[in-house]
Amino acid sequence: MMYLTDVEIQQLIEKTAETTVNKCLCKGKLKTTNRNDAYTRTLHLMKNYNAMRWNVEHSDNQSMTSTKEMLRRIDNALEIIKVECERSGERLKLEAFKMKFEDGYTYEQIAEKLETHENTPHNWVNQILRKLSVYLFGVDAIN
């Protein structure tokens, strides 16, 4: 019987998740219409990411446990997406995403800084949001 190391298991999980996300994105199977769906929840989480991070860092309140857990999940998922973007030569997608949600830039400002068409950052951010929603909410993000 062959046993996998922890690193091999993590790599297998990441590759499986990446393959699933990419297949769903290609087939258009990610939900984007319902106000309560995983994509919209992910969008709202990212819009409030900095505020949640600040509250966790400046609060000694034990009720922050679920917020801390969600921030950890977001950070872990973004790290996987970062590796995927670097592997596929799409580093600017993640940079636009971070500029939007971490730095608070508008799409117009992002386009100017990245020297791209004004619609491109919006498309890139939505692509990253769809991937992130699958990592955060699993099958709930897939039709």
Side-chain angles (χ1 to χ4, degrees), residues 8-124:
E8 291 171 324
I9 291 170
Q10 184 62 33
Q11 289 172 338
L12 182 61
I13 291 169
E14 289 175 9
K15 185 64 179 167
T16 302
E18 179 182 353
T19 302
T20 302
V21 169
N22 289 333
K23 283 182 181 178
C24 291
L25 288 173
C26 290
K27 293 179 180 179
K29 288 189 175 182
L30 292 180
K31 298 178 183 179
T32 58
T33 56
N34 186 339
R35 183 95 175 120
N36 295 319
D37 68 9
Y39 175 88
T40 303
R41 287 183 289 172
T42 304
L43 176 62
H44 289 292
L45 281 170
M46 292 314 301
K47 284 183 177 179
N48 293 289
Y49 179 85
N50 288 335
M52 290 188 309
R53 172 80 53 213
W54 188 91
N55 283 330
V56 165
E57 291 172 358
H58 294 88
S59 175
D60 57 358
N61 188 341
Q62 293 293 17
S63 68
M64 291 295 207
T65 303
S66 61
T67 302
K68 288 177 185 176
E69 175 62 19
M70 181 54 75
L71 287 170
R72 186 190 63 74
R73 290 178 61 201
I74 291 169
D75 292 340
N76 288 344
L78 287 174
E79 189 60 35
I80 293 169
I81 292 170
K82 176 184 174 185
V83 170
E84 291 174 5
C85 287
E86 288 172 355
R87 248 191 245 146
S88 62
E90 297 176 324
R91 183 188 53 80
L92 289 179
K93 284 184 181 182
L94 188 60
E95 189 172 335
F97 183 85
K98 288 183 176 191
M99 291 170 78
K100 177 69 178 164
F101 294 111
E102 290 179 14
D103 302 328
Y105 290 147
T106 65
Y107 289 118
E108 185 177 275
Q109 291 169 323
I110 296 168
E112 185 177 310
K113 287 194 177 281
L114 298 181
E115 298 177 354
T116 187
H117 187 273
E118 62 188 41
N119 292 335
T120 303
H122 186 265
N123 293 333
W124 287 344

Side-chain angles (χ1 to χ4, degrees), residues 117-134:
H117 187 273
E118 62 188 41
N119 292 335
T120 303
H122 186 265
N123 293 333
W124 287 344
V125 167
N126 282 333
Q127 290 170 12
I128 298 293
L129 274 172
R130 284 192 298 271
K131 281 187 177 194
L132 182 58
S133 69
V134 172

